[in-house]
Amino acid sequence: MLKSLEKRKELLGIIEKITREKGYFDVYDLSVATGMPRSTIQDWVHRFVDDGCVTVLEECAGRRRAKYAMRRTRSLPASACKRIFTTVDGDIVEIFHECRSEGCIAFCEYMYAMGNPHVRKNGLILRQKVKAGPVAPGHDEALYLEKVLVSNGLVYQHIRTFGGPAYSLTEMMESADGVLDIMYNKRGSYVEGVVVTEALTHMAIAVDDTDEAESGATFALTLSLLDLLSSIEGVRRISHNVGFLYPGVPGKTAGNAVSYIELAVKKELVESLIQRAVEYLKGQTLSKNTGMAVKVGLKPCPELVGFAARARNGIVTAEEALSVARRSRVRTFKISGERGIIGAVAALGMIDCPPENLMDVTRAIT
């Protein structure tokens, strides 16, 4: 089903492009553009006509081919929705909406938070963590997530909205990268929609102690690691984050900052991505004490959070870090030494921490 939805979106994108250029398309145009047999293309076109995505401009008559066009061609206004994707761990789902507008993302954060307290901004990405099932049924706000279902590797976000936000659901979300399909019905003043995305795996990689006093920076190396891994097919970039640990620790190069990245990945890529990260860091680090830690999945680890809090308030040891990692299903790697594992494990305990709290060690990280 996933491949069918991906093919559907690919074909609709090609149809929209041809319609915009020529004003119409026919089966021959689409066959040439895709390399698919005309009989297969005709089946898809019939399906699109039945779904209401495509309209018939001219019926087939003799040797004259039938002409079609997209029912809804997009010009202005531009879509604010850039990417929509999801990660899943058992019954826990995290939804990521990347927006092109600070105003729109602030509005959506405000609205979604009325029905779900686990909503936060991460740059221009709005993150919602929910349990599969009903989320906020029966609300009267202009925009809310009603329920989330997971089935056969797909996530179904049921959204209810009216007014301006309804335009986003009916006209903008479908064009967002990561959306495989979108279905909606108008019910009086409301629009109820279902946004379909792939169920990906959440992966966090933390790194510490990669620099020397005179050169290098852990945050910069970690950012380059994010660039490298997110360029791989099947990997979606989530975030790059920097936080501070206890400033009084001896041997620090500057402010005792740690860094971690987050990715949404196809499950089968996890092991190869870890190996790629290890190899890259070994070749790039300037320190003899570099450590890396990896957490896969969304399930909370209270011991990990507690360790991060201790590391922000005082000195902790590598032995403590390794012990907490084992109990929290966190994998650790001595890239060039052991000391960096302390900061890497602590960084993973701060994943759900707001950015302003990451910077201030006196603030709580939960």
Side-chain angles (χ1 to χ4, degrees), residues 60-80:
C60 177
R63 296 171 64 91
R64 188 182 67 195
R65 295 190 290 264
K67 291 183 178 180
Y68 307 90
M70 285 289 290
R71 184 174 292 275
R72 293 181 294 134
T73 57
R74 292 183 178 85
S75 53
L76 292 176
S79 173

Side-chain angles (χ1 to χ4, degrees), residues 25-323:
F25 74 94
D26 58 36
V27 169
Y28 178 77
D29 293 329
L30 209 50
S31 179
V32 170
T34 62
M36 296 169 63
R38 294 189 200 180
S39 58
T40 304
I41 291 295
Q42 189 67 71
D43 290 341
W44 274 105
V45 171
H46 286 325
R47 219 177 303 177
F48 293 146
V49 171
D50 291 341
D51 290 345
C53 303
V54 165
T55 186
V56 181
L57 297 180
E58 292 183 17
E59 296 285 357
C60 177
R63 296 171 64 91
R64 188 182 67 195
R65 295 190 290 264
K67 291 183 178 180
Y68 307 90
M70 285 289 290
R71 184 174 292 275
R72 293 181 294 134
T73 57
R74 292 183 178 85
S75 53
L76 292 176
S79 173
C81 301
K82 186 175 181 180
R83 294 190 300 157
I84 300 176
F85 58 98
T86 44
T87 57
V88 176
D89 185 5
D91 63 346
I92 304 175
V93 180
E94 188 159 20
I95 302 166
F96 302 86
H97 283 222
E98 184 175 2
C99 192
R100 295 175 58 245
S101 161
E102 292 87 348
C104 289
I105 197 171
F107 175 87
C108 290
E109 179 189 31
Y110 176 78
M111 285 295 173
Y112 281 126
M114 290 184 181
N116 175 21
H118 304 291
V119 177
R120 64 186 177 98
K121 286 188 295 184
N122 198 172
L124 283 177
I125 293 182
L126 185 67
R127 308 173 63 149
Q128 294 192 74
K129 192 175 286 186
V130 301
K131 277 196 171 184
V135 177
H139 278 231
D140 293 323
E141 283 76 24
L143 171 67
Y144 67 92
L145 185 64
E146 193 170 22
K147 64 182 176 180
V148 175
L149 302 178
V150 181
S151 177
N152 296 321
L154 299 176
V155 178
Y156 299 83
Q157 303 172 48
H158 291 250
I159 299 171
R160 191 175 184 191
T161 182
F162 70 91
Y167 180 83
S168 174
L169 180 61
T170 61
E171 301 293 335
M172 291 186 174
M173 289 188 183
E174 187 176 26
S175 66
D177 182 34
V179 174
L180 299 174
D181 196 10
I182 187 165
M183 301 158 279
Y184 60 87
N185 290 303
K186 295 183 179 180
R187 300 183 182 277
S189 59
Y190 281 89
V191 174
E192 295 178 338
V194 181
V195 179
V196 185
T197 52
E198 187 176 0
L200 299 171
T201 297
H202 184 274
M203 186 175 181
I205 302 175
V207 181
D208 193 28
D209 207 334
T210 69
D211 52 358
E212 294 179 330
E214 296 80 20
S215 59
T218 296
F219 81 87
L221 182 53
T222 312
L223 180 57
S224 69
L225 176 64
L226 176 61
D227 290 339
L228 172 69
L229 298 182
S230 60
S231 68
I232 298 171
E233 187 176 353
V235 178
R236 292 189 175 274
R237 181 190 193 107
I238 298 176
S239 69
H240 170 261
N241 303 274
V242 177
F244 282 103
L245 301 181
Y246 179 59
V249 66
K252 66 179 182 180
T253 52
N256 200 21
V258 292
S259 190
Y260 67 90
I261 61 175
E262 294 178 275
L263 303 161
V265 308
K266 290 181 180 292
K267 188 175 183 179
E268 61 269 23
L269 294 179
V270 168
E271 292 304 319
S272 63
L273 291 173
I274 291 174
Q275 188 58 39
R276 189 77 179 270
V278 168
E279 292 171 356
Y280 180 74
L281 292 173
K282 282 183 176 179
Q284 297 295 323
T285 184
L286 300 175
S287 170
K288 295 180 180 179
N289 296 291
T290 306
M292 184 181 92
V294 180
K295 180 178 182 291
V296 177
L298 296 167
K299 291 178 181 175
C301 300
E303 281 196 72
L304 199 56
V305 176
F307 176 75
R310 294 196 302 276
R312 284 161 64 88
N313 292 318
I315 296 174
V316 290
T317 67
E319 289 72 22
E320 289 178 79
L322 291 168
S323 176

